[in-house]
Structures are given as structure tokens and as C-alpha cells.
Amino acid sequence: MSAREVRTDLAAYRAAVAELSPLVRLGRGAGAIRVVEGRGAWWERLIDAAAFVVDEPDPAPADVHGRLALIAAPVAVVRRRLRPDVVADAGAEPVAARHVVVDAWGGRTDATALLRDALGWARVLAGGPLSVVAHADTATATTLALRGPDGVGASVTRAIGGGVGGAMVATALGPRRVEVRVDSASPLAEVAFDDDEGRRIRPVRRESPERLALRRVLEAVESGATLNDLDELAADDAVLSPSSE
């Protein structure tokens, strides 16, 4: 199998390409995987490639997501606070959540995307799509009350402070408890389970988000498997929309 070309000028992805050699190499051919920065109208750049990686996309309106659903090529979405491998770790033990609490805090620059990722963790831990019951905004905080499948309740709070980036703690409460800690200042997330047998912490994921994204989209291209990243992004953007700043 010949190496698949990856089109990118971003240093972190170029390093990931080197790590994944000889499966991939840098290039700009029509059959390449194209890395797209998620700032601005990123969806307009999903052209002229066999597959795409979208890095930290800005929120998109519903009509854009409707068009994105028609893209036939695989698309991997990089959300460093909501990594698919960490999501898998959070689902490693059944929790039967009755309520989900997500607390997030970070700088104003990235506040909207931080809230969306917090909503994403609420969706994951609640076990499905969320609907907004109530929300409240102040100059420095947003709080949402949500309802998930089978009546599971969820509350999400995002506080705005100084600096950039963000961190969050997501907790699902049931007969067993799962707690996820994510911090933009650290590449390592923590997933822990608690029950009457004690506390168990999952092994830390150390693969870079860039390498993970390229590996996932490459596997999708080669196998024909479907990536649900855009569907999940659309679901979180839809919940975020009424509270967007």
C-alpha cells in the first residue's frame, strides 16, 4: 500500500505525519487528506481532498451543518477537550447515570467553544442527545439545565476568567460514578470510576491529538468506515445555539 498524502502547513500535523510514516507522507495531490484550521468559515475549505481533518472548529450554524451532512468524504474533527479515545475510556464501565454535572472555566477568547465541549461531555455521559430545559447568562458565566435520554438530567456551567484555553470536570452520577478531568494546559486527561469497590483510574492517553486524528481518518479512508464527528459536532452546536455569545 502506497503512502497516503497529507496536505498541511501546521507544524504539529507535520510532526504527526512523520510519526505515522510510511503510512502517510506530506503532499498536495487530489487524493490527499487535507488538514483544515477551524477558524472562521472552515466549512468552505472542505474541498479538493479525499478526506479532511478539521482542527478545533468554530461553532457553525444549523444550515451549514445541513450541508456538511452531505459530504461523502471522511471528516475527523479535532476537539482536544473531547477526544474520542478519552470518550471511549469514559464508557469503559457502565455507569447508568441519573444526573450529569459539567463545570468548565476558561478565558473569554475561547469561551464559546469551551461551552460547546462541556455540552459535548454532558451528551456523552448522559448517553445521547440533550434538550435545553433552562439557561441563564451573566457577564462571566453561563448555566444550562438539560434533559437527556430516559429523563437523565444534566447541568452545565461555564465560568469566564482570565487567560486563554480552558478546563473542565465532567461527572456522571449513578450506582457507579465516572469523573473526567480535562485541562487545555495539559495534554493528559484523567478518567476515574468510583463505586463500592473503590476508585479506578484509566491509563492516561499519550498519543497526540494530531496523530490520533490522522490515524482515525486514514483508517476510515482505507476501510470505508463512517466517522460520526460531524454529527456529534452538529448536535453540540445545536444545543449551544440558543446560548451563543
Side-chain angles (χ1 to χ4, degrees), residues 1-240:
M1 181 181 68
S2 60
R4 176 74 60 169
E5 290 184 330
V6 176
R7 177 180 174 183
T8 182
D9 294 323
L10 300 177
Y13 284 94
R14 294 174 74 90
V17 168
E19 291 177 5
L20 289 170
S21 177
L23 297 177
V24 294
R25 62 183 176 85
L26 295 173
R28 307 181 75 85
I33 298 168
R34 181 178 180 184
V35 178
V36 174
E37 290 187 82
R39 297 298 181 186
W42 52 268
W43 50 88
E44 295 180 357
R45 299 190 287 277
L46 300 187
I47 55 173
D48 300 330
F52 302 91
V53 173
V54 182
D55 189 87
E56 294 291 352
D58 286 342
D63 64 315
V64 166
H65 280 296
R67 298 199 303 270
L68 290 174
L70 302 177
I71 294 178
V75 181
V77 178
V78 175
R79 300 164 70 179
R80 289 170 177 79
R81 292 178 291 249
L82 190 63
R83 292 173 51 128
D85 52 356
V86 178
V87 167
D89 287 339
E93 298 185 28
V95 174
R98 294 171 183 164
H99 193 78
V100 174
V101 178
V102 185
D103 292 315
W105 58 95
R108 186 171 297 278
T109 300
D110 202 28
T112 302
L114 175 63
L115 177 58
R116 182 185 59 194
D117 290 347
L119 290 167
W121 270 114
R123 168 182 53 79
V124 167
L125 296 180
L130 301 169
S131 59
V132 178
V133 176
H135 77 267
D137 294 299
T138 69
T140 58
T142 293
T143 301
L144 295 100
L146 307 123
R147 182 175 292 111
D150 301 322
V152 175
S155 58
V156 173
T157 300
R158 178 211 58 195
I160 299 174
V164 296
M168 67 182 71
V169 178
T171 307
L173 303 171
R176 174 180 286 121
R177 162 185 164 134
V178 60
E179 181 180 89
V180 181
R181 291 181 174 269
V182 181
D183 191 336
S184 296
S186 170
L188 307 180
E190 179 182 286
V191 177
F193 293 90
D194 294 281
D195 57 21
D196 55 4
E197 296 180 357
R199 184 174 180 87
R200 296 170 300 285
I201 299 176
R202 298 286 298 178
V204 172
R205 298 283 187 168
R206 297 185 181 276
E207 184 176 23
S208 74
E210 297 83 9
R211 187 182 189 278
L212 174 63
L214 289 178
R215 183 169 57 78
R216 291 179 66 237
V217 79
L218 178 63
E219 291 172 357
V221 169
E222 300 299 336
S223 69
T226 300
L227 294 178
N228 296 321
D229 297 31
L230 285 178
D231 293 337
E232 294 170 355
L233 187 70
D236 297 339
D237 273 349
V239 178
L240 174 71

